[in-house]
Amino acid sequence: MQPFTYVPVADAAGAAARALAGAQFIAGGTDMLQLLQENVVQPQELADLNGLGLAGITEEGDGALRLGALTRLQEAADHPLLRERCAVAAEALAASASPMVRHMATLGGNLLQRTRCLYFRDVSTPCNKRQPGSGCSALEGENRHNAILGGSEHCIAVQPSDLPVALVALDAEVLIQGAGGAERWVPVEGFHRLPGDTPEIETVMQDGDIILAIRIPAHATRCRSHYVKVRDRASFAWALCSAAVALRLDGEGRVAELRVAAGGVATKPWRLIRVEQELLGHRLDRDRVRLAAVWASEGAVTRSGNAYKAPLLQHTVERAILELGGLA
Amino acid sequence: MNAIIGQPVSRVDGPAKVTGHATYAAEFSLPGLAYAAMVLATIPRGHVRSIDRRAAEAAPGVLAVMTHEDAPRLPYKQIAQRPQVDAQSGEQLHVLQDDQVRFNGEPVAVVVAETLEQAVHAAELVRVEYARSPAVTIFDAKQGRPPSESNAKAGRVPELGRGDAEGAMAGAPVRVEARYVHPREHHNAIEPHVTIAHWEGENLTLYDKTQWVDNDRKEIAHVFGLEEGNIRVVSPFVGGAFGSALRTWPHVTLAVMAAKRVGRPVRLELTRRQLYMAVGFRPHSEQHLRLGADKDGRLVALQHDVVQQVGRYEEYAETALSPTSHLYQCDNLHARYRLVEMDTNSPCPMRAPGVVTGVLGLEMAMDELAVELGMDPLELRLRNYAEQDQQKGLPWSSKELRACYETAAERFGWARRKPEPRSMREGGTLTGYGMATAIYHSDRSGGSASVALTGNGMAVVRSAASDMGPGTYTSMTQVAAETLGLPVDHVRFELGDTNLPYAPVHGGSITMASLGNAVVAACQAVQGKLASLVRAAQQGPFAGLAEDAVVAREGGLGRADGTGPAVPYAELLRQHNLGWVEAEGSAQPGEETKKYSSAAFGAIFVEVRVDELLGTVRVPRMVGAYDVGRVINPKTARSQCIGGMVGGLGMALEERAEWDARFGKVMNANLAEYLVPVNADVPSLEAIFVPNDDRDFNPLGVKGLAEVAICGVAPAIANAVWHATGRRIRELPITPERLLG
Amino acid sequence: MPEPSQNFSLTLRVNGAEHRVAVDARTTLLDALRDRLHLTGTKKGCALGQCGACTVLLDGRRVVSCLMLAVMAEGRQVTTIEGLARGDDLHPVQAAFVEHDAFQCGYCTPGQIMSAVGAISEGRTGSDDEIREQMSGNLCRCGAYTNIVAAVRDAAAREG
Ligand SMILES: Cc1cc2nc3c(=O)[nH]c(=O)nc-3n(C[C@H](O)[C@H](O)[C@H](O)COP(=O)(O)OP(=O)(O)OC[C@H]3O[C@@H](n4cnc5c(N)ncnc54)[C@H](O)[C@@H]3O)c2cc1C
Ligand code: SF4
Ligand code: FES
Ligand code: FES
């Protein structure tokens, strides 16, 4: 770990200034410290955002929910507004990491968690994301954790966070403050970028940008929603695959609103439009759900170690919709 | 006084552990302590072309950078009789002695600095250029070769058998054949390996994570050409080891060199990632079995080949054939053991080394045979029950395996099992029942202990033993308390220091069978010594009595004829103006191995739930019944058994080193991607001890239980997965890709 | 606002007492506790948040001290395993761990106990299933899990 300076910042403008001068931000520190310990990142300075007063969950006038970027995962998971109106997010958070990590980690930091790709975190191996141009070791390597969707020949790293998958199903947006002070809203679905030939660029965030909040629109809070996470052990593991579903039926029991997203299998939280289309306007029954879920892995490119993720993804999506629809 | 042996005494070191006051190796606070960090090679084979250390040397706080260019040349003297924990042939890694790189992760430099942060950073600044040579990093079972002669002599034989396996197999009416793969596994004790080396003039003190202080001292003495008398190793608490701390690893040598160089005490603690390269692991294995039986399920032929990986600079081999040699009655048997050389750090013993591997193959194949025969798997085991050790041609010193089967099956509810696979559904999930047998040979070794009876009524018992978790402190305290007739809280057991009487290795489940008897002997010796003193005295209750007229009873001495009260030790010491009296005792293995074969046994029954859609397996409950001889402390013994079950569950469902052959490296070298079980994985575990007392094996009647507890668990789970799903997964761990694939 | 700095002289509040300690910006709370304050009851198992051995309470909430910079703990209340017992009287969770043999080697134990104390005070020990889930951030390689559940259940009942 290279020496760095540490500085707490009191306001977003001050934080942006430090960032433009080369600082990286630290919030809960739970990913940053891992990256520092493994020498994956070498910041000159860490600017501590905890003084910005960005924690807390509130309801806006129109019924939308606003989640402060510095809210801890556990606080959000426990929050009645989230549990009652956005179960998928509360479930995704409750299934993230461990209680200790959840007490530390922030929502904003979770959106920016770096990949768990084994090569990214072992600095002795080539990795385009860590060291652009050095090559991707995962393509022909140990890639059971890697992505089958959204990859490129330069990178197939999974974005490993649970929360953003739920947020895509909730049609949520991220509020970002730019270095100049201007605020902008970015849909979570468009927040992460595909690796393409620049896997080191992971999100739409620019130098000096700060995440202020996440907003879940009112219409999504009227959906029922659910998160299913598949992992190698019963708890405390990143997802091999996950599915987030938000659903609203009309008076006739037909699907009026549906968003489905997948995690653990893609380079960014993956919206499954085709699955949604197969079900919109229909009543849910087991066969229809199963057949719709087959579309989940459309376009998947598999490798030696991750081919299982294609059927797993279909099955996880099927399970999530069936459970939400009371058909499991 | 009530018996103390056999009581569920709470751990005597429990309060120290739960308050954080137990001191593990890294935690000795020495004035002037400096911190070391290693630089590890990043190629699987080749040599170091150049090392640029300037940036590291210039970094703040750096006290020294040492590489092969300036490290002292060490004598690395041979130990006359290599201890069993070492590789039996080849040469241990000579650290920083030349420019060669033998495996990815070999230390190429060590840095010492004022603080940990400074040392770690300076190590990152060392720039090393390598020249690569072709490396063998792919496991190819066909490349297997027999173990060396020295390994064969140490019991790691290339072949064993009896009768005509090939011929009998050809004539067997029912046959099964299968290949099983078990990946490289890592111990991953929660405490990392760590050494503090402290030189004071010619004297060296090591605070080390080790399962054998006496051998640690001997190894370092040989590496450096020092007198053993100048070295002291201290290791009162070991934060789990499971075999990884049996031998002395290169980082200990590095710490000693570094401390010499900077003239200060130095601590070298391995990072979690480094643990995958700097200490050993359970080697990758592939095995091939053929079982032949008659229509009634009696084994007529058994063929078992085990192939394991081994490093190239030294040869570590295992007793993988031992379970097959004697677990079942079978007249025609052939087993073969082969090693595949690879450019990797050396493997080493990990809980039930070799045996867990052999049992895995055999017990999975037995399940396949039961299916082929249409027979209940438990019935098949009973039909082939080995009444004696057929390979050795010796009777068992004791064997209550039948009782294990009965007790565990009953408790588990095995009778409810429907034989057909996929026949037991519960709540949308497939349920499966599986079972397996466990066995681990029982060994003993020689050891000594001392006992001091003190004027305040305490007994202090000492031996250079270790307690990595099974409860040595507690069980030895019980043995001493019972022998001396004192309450448990009047006995203190001290261990983990080479200044104490010699103790054998804390591994292979031998501690109680070996040292327990030495503690008994030491207790008796001190009683005898006190008796002689008081008999020879001018006055006192026993003055002038004959040797056989005074005996130990009721926490003191009394007349052998039972007349008069027993006088407590402390009172006798006071009467004779003695502060304390001390004596040593030792115990050696006797002739028992010539007359008997000895082993601990177990029967494990498990229930699995398989979510077929998602390919996940969970294990709601396991029941094991064990014959481990006499149980000194059922509370701590039970903990060892459930711990073995948890370890076996990890082996069956989670653990695997993700090895990248291009780099010759374990890629998931952490605790987030190399998964071990968590609490939520193990809802219900039950361990039952069937009564036994094996006095033919040793006077205390114990057999040892740490290793047997992990044997049989993984095959029982794999067998249950078959029963649940109808799918035979022959490669561990059983993860979603295997069930969905 | 303080200036950016590489070296800090901090006041850490640990178990109710204030400690002056000189640290590097890089120093984790775990290393500060173990190597600077010699409070070695808090254990290091992975330094990456993945084992739970370093669990302490921060303002009453359980956190992994290896993923926190010591500078960021200034002004907060840190409770470690050394701060639980009152003299010779074990905290109920500590006593329950001894009683139920909820450990073997003892190395994960301080972290398990701190996590259990946190879980109980958070009111998350209502059922065995919940205890198992809540204790799953603390690895025990010795496999004492079912005993840990028994200990936590027992201690929670005694405290509640
Ligand atoms: C052992 C372990 C297991 C885990 N398991 C899971 C899991 O199962 N599922 C899951 O989703 N996550 C998991 N996590 C990841 C964890 O959720 C993330 O590390 C955490 O959410 C990151 O938040 P943080 O506040 O700690 O971020 P930090 O580590 O402080 O920061 C992470 C990154 O985000 C940047 N950043 C943080 N906040 C802001 C902001 N407001 N504006 C701009 N930039 C910002 C930082 O500069 C940094 O680059 C696990 C973590 C650990 C240690
Ligand atoms: S998949 Fe991406 S992160 Fe992984 S090695 Fe390739 S480039 Fe690096
Ligand atoms: S040392 Fe902090 S979680 Fe492992
Ligand atoms: S008691 Fe050893 S790791 Fe838990």
Side-chain angles (χ1 to χ4, degrees):
Chain A
M1 197 190 297
Q2 177 182 295
F4 52 77
T5 57
Y6 163 85
V7 62
V9 290
D11 54 58
R18 302 294 336 158
L20 291 178
Q24 292 187 26
F25 296 137
I26 183 165
T30 60
D31 200 29
M32 182 56 84
L33 266 283
Q34 290 187 78
L35 298 167
L36 289 169
Q37 292 285 16
E38 301 261 44
N39 201 24
V40 176
V41 296
Q42 293 92 17
Q44 303 160 29
E45 176 169 309
L46 286 182
D48 179 354
L49 301 181
N50 284 288
L52 295 189
L54 294 175
I57 294 180
T58 49
E59 184 174 357
E60 300 193 331
D62 66 349
L65 299 185
R66 185 181 165 116
L67 287 51
L70 272 282
T71 311
R72 310 289 145 167
L73 305 194
Q74 187 67 55
E75 185 191 340
D78 291 342
H79 203 282
L81 282 173
L82 221 56
R83 291 170 60 132
E84 283 155 25
R85 302 195 200 162
C86 306
V88 65
E91 289 169 9
L93 288 166
S96 296
S98 67
M100 283 77 77
V101 174
R102 291 197 295 272
H103 281 138
M104 306 171 78
T106 66
L107 303 182
N110 190 259
L111 293 182
L112 293 169
Q113 180 184 186
R114 313 291 308 270
T115 184
R116 299 300 307 175
C117 175
L118 303 179
Y119 301 93
F120 176 74
R121 287 181 190 251
D122 182 335
V123 294
S124 77
T125 58
C127 165
N128 285 329
K129 190 187 275 299
R130 180 168 29 77
Q131 209 183 338
S134 61
C136 171
S137 298
L139 291 174
E140 308 297 331
E142 293 302 301
N143 50 30
R144 75 181 287 268
H145 307 277
N146 289 73
I148 58 170
L149 291 165
S152 71
E153 73 221 53
H154 303 286
C155 180
I156 52 167
V158 162
Q159 204 296 328
S161 298
D162 289 294
L163 174 68
V165 183
L167 293 177
V168 167
L170 292 169
D171 217 5
E173 293 175 305
V174 188
L175 179 60
I176 299 171
Q177 173 169 311
E183 295 185 2
R184 65 186 196 276
W185 287 100
V186 175
V188 175
E189 209 185 327
F191 180 78
H192 296 95
R193 294 186 17 149
L194 294 176
D197 54 10
T198 53
E200 70 281 11
I201 305 174
E202 300 182 335
T203 68
V204 299
M205 298 279 283
Q206 304 281 322
D207 282 353
D209 278 359
I210 300 173
I211 300 179
L212 298 179
I214 294 162
R215 183 170 176 278
I216 300 172
H219 71 90
T221 66
R222 289 189 286 271
C223 292
R224 292 194 312 111
S225 63
H226 182 43
Y227 193 68
V228 169
K229 178 173 179 179
V230 184
R231 30 191 172 176
D232 279 320
R233 60 185 177 194
S235 184
F236 197 21
W238 278 272
L240 295 173
C241 180
S242 68
V245 185
L247 168 75
R248 189 170 51 79
L249 301 178
D250 64 15
E252 319 276 271
R254 278 186 291 259
V255 176
E257 183 178 342
L258 175 66
R259 276 173 308 277
V260 184
V265 290
T267 53
K268 53 178 272 189
W270 203 253
R271 178 90 183 261
L272 296 169
I273 301 275
R274 183 64 198 261
V275 176
E276 298 168 9
Q277 284 168 349
E278 292 293 316
L279 296 172
L280 272 171
H282 295 279
R283 287 201 178 78
L284 293 180
D285 65 58
R286 286 210 180 87
D287 282 341
R288 184 172 289 282
V289 171
R290 195 183 66 244
L291 291 172
V294 170
W295 289 102
S297 59
E298 190 189 12
V301 177
T302 62
R303 312 231 156 224
S304 53
N306 65 6
Y308 74 100
K309 284 192 175 179
L312 181 58
L313 170 58
Q314 298 172 8
H315 298 173
T316 309
V317 167
E318 178 184 341
R319 171 67 55 81
I321 300 174
L322 288 179
E323 282 183 352
L324 188 60
L327 297 168
Chain B
M1 164 157 311
N2 288 332
I4 296 172
I5 290 181
Q7 293 303 308
V9 173
S10 289
R11 279 173 206 266
V12 296
D13 52 339
K17 285 177 173 172
V18 300
T19 53
H21 295 309
T23 311
Y24 297 80
E27 298 165 358
F28 286 84
S29 143
L30 301 180
L33 184 68
Y35 298 81
M38 300 190 297
V39 181
L40 304 185
T42 55
I43 59 162
R45 193 175 183 85
H47 66 271
V48 171
R49 220 204 296 265
S50 67
I51 300 186
D52 182 351
R53 54 208 276 167
R54 284 167 300 181
E57 275 165 348
V62 171
L63 300 168
V65 177
M66 198 182 341
T67 71
H68 73 91
E69 292 159 343
D70 64 336
R73 292 293 159 261
L74 302 175
Y76 275 98
K77 291 190 181 152
Q78 287 293 329
I79 298 180
Q81 163 93 54
R82 278 197 197 184
Q84 279 279 2
V85 297
D86 282 2
Q88 294 301 305
S89 54
E91 268 298 312
Q92 68 167 296
L93 190 72
H94 291 195
V95 65
L96 299 191
Q97 299 297 295
D98 59 29
D99 65 353
Q100 295 300 302
V101 174
R102 292 155 194 84
F103 59 89
N104 195 331
E106 175 172 349
V108 293
V110 63
V111 177
V112 188
E114 294 286 349
T115 70
L116 178 61
E117 295 81 14
Q118 290 168 337
V120 168
H121 175 235
E124 288 162 3
L125 293 176
V126 176
R127 290 280 160 263
V128 187
E129 300 264 350
Y130 300 97
R132 266 185 89 139
S133 349
V136 186
T137 55
I138 294 175
F139 182 90
D140 176 3
K142 290 191 294 297
Q143 301 301 317
R145 56 141 178 94
S148 65
E149 207 151 299
S150 25
N151 255 316
K153 273 200 209 112
R156 282 80 172 136
V157 294
E159 344 273 309
L160 60 79
R162 51 189 182 256
D164 171 16
E166 195 67 46
M169 187 67 72
V174 184
R175 281 191 295 242
V176 293
E177 174 166 4
R179 207 177 130 262
Y180 304 99
V181 181
H182 180 199
R184 170 171 171 156
E185 283 182 350
H186 289 261
H187 307 74
N188 274 319
I190 302 300
E191 181 197 26
H193 282 255
V194 56
T195 305
I196 297 174
H198 186 200
W199 287 95
E200 289 159 298
E202 293 304 296
N203 293 322
L204 171 67
T205 305
L206 290 174
Y207 303 88
D208 197 15
K209 172 175 178 133
T210 174
Q211 292 169 250
W212 197 4
V213 288
D214 284 315
N215 194 58
D216 211 19
R217 167 167 72 176
K218 178 182 277 175
E219 298 269 1
I220 290 301
H222 281 76
V223 169
F224 286 86
L226 297 169
E227 290 299 320
E228 284 186 40
N230 288 347
I231 305 175
R232 179 176 173 210
V233 179
V234 179
S235 182
F237 290 95
V238 176
F242 316 106
S244 69
L246 287 170
R247 65 180 296 195
T248 301
W249 297 106
H251 68 270
V252 183
T253 298
L254 279 181
V256 174
M257 280 200 274
K260 189 88 185 176
R261 172 69 58 90
V262 301
R264 285 167 58 172
V266 165
R267 186 176 88 194
L268 176 52
E269 184 168 37
L270 306 189
T271 65
R272 185 55 56 180
R273 188 177 288 285
Q274 289 172 343
L275 287 167
Y276 287 77
M277 304 173 264
V279 301
F281 56 92
R282 194 196 293 293
H284 175 98
S285 69
E286 298 188 8
Q287 35 187 331
H288 183 243
L289 278 109
R290 296 173 77 203
L291 268 49
D294 66 18
K295 294 264 191 247
D296 297 328
R298 266 173 277 272
L299 286 169
V300 296
L302 205 172
Q303 293 171 305
H304 191 172
D305 287 359
V306 182
V307 191
Q308 285 186 322
Q309 75 181 145
V310 67
R312 275 171 77 182
Y313 52 97
E314 63 176 0
E315 186 183 286
Y316 164 75
E318 303 194 325
T319 52
L321 306 184
S322 124
T324 290
S325 77
H326 58 198
L327 187 50
Y328 296 111
Q329 176 77 23
C330 179
D331 294 341
N332 305 292
L333 180 144
H334 182 250
R336 188 168 31 206
Y337 181 62
R338 294 292 181 263
L339 296 169
V340 175
E341 291 184 10
M342 289 173 68
D343 289 312
T344 169
N345 51 319
S346 186
C348 81
M350 176 165 159
R351 204 169 188 176
V355 175
V356 84
T357 309
V359 167
L360 173 75
L362 182 58
E363 288 299 286
M364 285 183 72
M366 285 294 277
D367 204 65
E368 302 208 36
L369 180 62
V371 175
E372 195 63 29
L373 286 158
M375 185 177 286
D376 182 273
L378 173 54
E379 178 59 28
L380 178 65
R381 267 88 175 175
L382 291 169
R383 290 219 181 155
N384 292 288
Y385 198 82
E387 299 292 354
Q388 57 155 344
D389 184 328
Q390 224 183 338
Q391 191 64 31
K392 291 189 185 150
L394 291 174
W396 302 106
S397 54
S398 72
K399 178 173 180 178
E400 294 298 328
L401 178 57
R402 224 179 239 114
C404 295
Y405 287 133
E406 277 163 22
T407 314
E410 163 74 28
R411 184 80 206 168
F412 178 82
W414 182 251
R416 291 198 302 271
R417 180 180 190 263
K418 298 186 196 145
E420 278 303 299
R422 307 181 62 81
S423 59
M424 295 169 70
R425 251 175 208 279
E426 244 173 78
T429 9
L430 294 166
T431 296
Y433 286 3
M435 59 84 56
T437 314
I439 183 170
Y440 194 85
H441 52 268
S442 302
D443 290 326
R444 296 176 69 182
S445 187
S448 315
S450 69
V451 179
L453 297 171
T454 65
N456 62 0
M458 290 290 294
V460 181
V461 187
R462 297 189 174 100
S463 176
S466 170
D467 188 349
M468 63 171 155
T472 314
Y473 276 111
T474 311
S475 53
M476 293 299 169
T477 299
Q478 286 175 264
V479 168
E482 171 137 336
T483 314
L484 294 169
L486 292 174
V488 164
D489 60 7
H490 284 50
V491 176
R492 192 170 78 231
F493 188 75
E494 294 178 354
L495 53 67
D497 188 333
T498 46
N499 283 349
L500 307 179
Y502 177 86
V505 61
H506 182 45
S509 305
I510 71 166
T511 297
M512 187 45 83
S514 309
L515 204 60
N517 290 296
V519 167
V520 171
C523 291
Q524 290 166 344
V526 79
Q527 289 167 329
K529 187 163 173 187
L530 183 60
S532 320
L533 286 169
V534 299
R535 281 188 298 103
Q538 300 297 328
Q539 50 195 6
F542 307 115
L545 291 179
E547 191 175 343
D548 55 3
V550 181
V551 294
R553 61 175 159 93
E554 295 154 54
L557 300 179
R559 285 169 184 263
D561 60 12
T563 61
V567 186
Y569 307 123
E571 193 171 324
L572 289 170
L573 290 172
R574 262 195 308 278
Q575 284 173 6
H576 294 87
N577 277 326
L578 294 167
W580 76 93
V581 56
E582 184 166 13
E584 256 192 60
S586 62
Q588 303 297 331
E591 297 289 284
E592 65 274 352
T593 53
K594 301 211 173 86
K595 291 190 269 181
Y596 303 103
S597 179
S598 298
F601 299 93
I604 297 91
F605 291 78
V606 309
E607 176 178 330
V608 301
R609 301 283 168 89
V610 180
D611 186 322
E612 213 179 9
L613 203 58
L614 305 181
T616 52
V617 181
R618 303 285 179 248
V619 183
R621 62 194 186 101
M622 299 196 227
V623 177
Y626 305 90
D627 163 17
V628 295
R630 189 152 166 236
V631 174
I632 303 292
N633 181 333
K635 192 179 215 171
T636 52
R638 189 183 158 276
S639 291
Q640 284 200 66
C641 288
I642 64 169
M645 291 183 196
V646 173
L649 182 140
M651 174 175 161
L653 302 178
E654 296 168 7
E655 295 185 42
R656 122 179 68 191
E658 292 185 53
W659 174 257
D660 189 320
R662 296 167 303 173
F663 307 113
K665 191 167 195 201
V666 175
M667 295 313 308
N668 56 339
N670 61 28
L671 285 170
E673 273 87 18
Y674 181 105
L675 295 186
V676 300
V678 294
N679 204 317
D681 285 319
V682 284
S684 163
L685 305 174
E686 205 174 329
I688 306 159
F689 298 103
V690 303
N692 194 4
D693 191 348
D694 193 341
R695 306 282 166 139
D696 285 334
F697 175 48
N698 68 81
L700 261 181
V702 300
K703 294 204 279 195
L705 72 90
E707 333 279 328
V708 77
I710 195 175
C711 293
V713 179
I717 292 173
N719 295 341
V721 168
W722 172 83
H723 182 234
T725 63
R727 308 247 339 246
R728 187 66 70 178
I729 310 296
R730 299 189 178 87
E731 181 168 359
L732 300 185
I734 305 174
T735 44
E737 62 259 54
R738 306 242 150 88
L739 280 167
L740 295 173
Chain C
M1 254 303 107
E3 284 300 298
S5 175
Q6 269 188 28
N7 297 296
F8 292 84
S9 177
L10 305 177
T11 303
L12 288 180
R13 305 200 47 145
V14 186
N15 302 326
E18 298 205 337
H19 302 264
R20 293 295 297 174
V21 48
V23 298
D24 198 302
R26 293 172 291 185
T27 308
T28 63
L29 176 58
L30 173 61
D31 288 335
L33 291 170
R34 282 173 71 78
D35 293 340
R36 311 296 205 277
L37 302 182
H38 304 292
L39 289 169
T40 55
T42 306
K43 304 301 181 196
K44 181 187 277 192
C46 68
L48 296 169
Q50 301 167 355
C51 75
C54 64
T55 302
V56 301
L57 301 183
L58 189 73
D59 295 335
R61 301 242 157 222
R62 32 187 180 148
V63 298
V64 277
S65 57
C66 66
L67 292 185
M68 168 160 253
L69 295 177
V71 280
M72 291 172 72
E74 192 165 34
R76 322 225 8 212
Q77 298 277 358
V78 180
T79 310
T80 71
I81 190 74
E82 289 93 345
L84 286 188
R86 293 281 158 263
D88 278 347
D89 291 338
L90 297 180
H91 182 280
V93 177
Q94 291 173 318
F97 266 62
V98 175
E99 170 65 26
H100 291 276
D101 208 36
F103 52 89
Q104 289 198 61
C105 77
Y107 196 79
C108 72
T109 310
Q112 302 277 0
I113 291 172
M114 296 315 291
S115 186
V117 169
I120 293 170
S121 75
E122 293 158 33
R124 295 185 208 272
T125 53
S127 68
D128 284 4
D129 273 344
E130 190 178 20
I131 294 171
R132 280 191 277 274
E133 173 61 26
Q134 285 296 318
M135 295 302 293
S136 279
N138 298 88
L139 304 184
C140 176
R141 190 58 160 155
C142 297
Y145 293 131
T146 52
N147 291 355
I148 291 169
V149 173
V152 176
R153 182 203 303 130
D154 202 14
R158 265 186 257 170
E159 283 189 20

